[in-house]
Amino acid sequence: ITDEYISIVSWCFVVLITTANCLVNIKRVARLINSEFRASIYTPLKLTLLVLASLYRFSVASYVYSLVGIVIAILAITLGFVIRLKGTRLYGLTLSLLCVCKLLIFDITIDSDIYKAISVLAAGVLCFVISFIYSLLEKQTKQQNKPT
């Protein structure tokens, strides 16, 4: 076992423990801040920064930041609906918008016009899928909250 392997394993362990700590303490943080909305934004922001620092630590390609950001955004939207925190959902939508824009503007450097058009189309489809997931989960949440 090399030192680099031990370093990677220990870093992953720290990331997992920190992530679990953030998710478990979201309600406690809300009480400390006296605002559930601010806590619901603070916690996923903290997790996003942790993941971005981890990616930076391992020197990944630029587009990986955008793709991981989109995955985090989808998870934040879903988690926001599951635990009924609007701030987390809005954070996920904002993060997805920023990551798709970064992907289109900075990460996709293609010389061919056809491939650029396909990239923009793929980004549009990705935004549509995220929007569809959001609206689907929002409808389910409203149906569950309706008095019968």
Side-chain angles (χ1 to χ4, degrees), residues 1-2 25 30 32 38 53 93 115 117 122 125 129 133 136 142 148:
I1 298 177
T2 65
N25 289 324
L32 291 174
R38 282 188 280 171
L93 288 173
Y115 288 126
V125 167
V129 167
I133 291 170
L136 181 70
K142 284 183 181 178
T148 53

Side-chain angles (χ1 to χ4, degrees), residues 1-14 57-58:
I1 298 177
T2 65
D3 287 341
E4 184 178 344
Y5 178 75
I6 292 172
S7 174
I8 290 171
V9 170
S10 62
W11 187 260
C12 291
F13 181 73
V14 168
R57 160 75 170 80
F58 296 113

Side-chain angles (χ1 to χ4, degrees), residues 10-114:
S10 62
W11 187 260
C12 291
F13 181 73
V14 168
V15 168
L16 287 174
I17 294 297
T18 307
T19 303
N21 186 31
C22 289
L23 293 176
V24 167
N25 289 324
I26 191 167
K27 295 291 184 180
R28 188 173 76 83
V29 170
R31 283 193 306 270
L32 291 174
I33 296 177
N34 293 329
S35 170
E36 190 170 285
F37 184 77
R38 282 188 280 171
S40 66
I41 293 173
Y42 171 74
T43 301
L45 176 64
K46 194 166 50 170
L47 290 174
T48 303
L49 293 175
L50 175 70
V51 170
L52 292 178
S54 301
L55 293 174
Y56 180 77
R57 160 75 170 80
F58 296 113
S59 303
V60 298
S62 177
Y63 67 90
V64 174
Y65 290 102
S66 300
L67 297 176
V68 169
I70 291 168
V71 170
I72 291 171
I74 292 171
L75 291 174
I77 292 169
T78 306
L79 182 67
F81 278 108
V82 169
I83 60 177
R84 290 176 170 56
L85 291 174
K86 186 174 184 175
T88 304
R89 295 191 307 256
L90 294 176
Y91 175 80
L93 288 173
T94 305
L95 182 63
S96 67
L97 177 68
L98 291 173
C99 289
V100 169
C101 287
K102 179 188 173 293
L103 192 64
L104 283 174
I105 295 171
F106 298 111
D107 296 335
I108 299 176
T109 55
I110 301 171
D111 294 331
S112 171
D113 289 335
I114 300 245

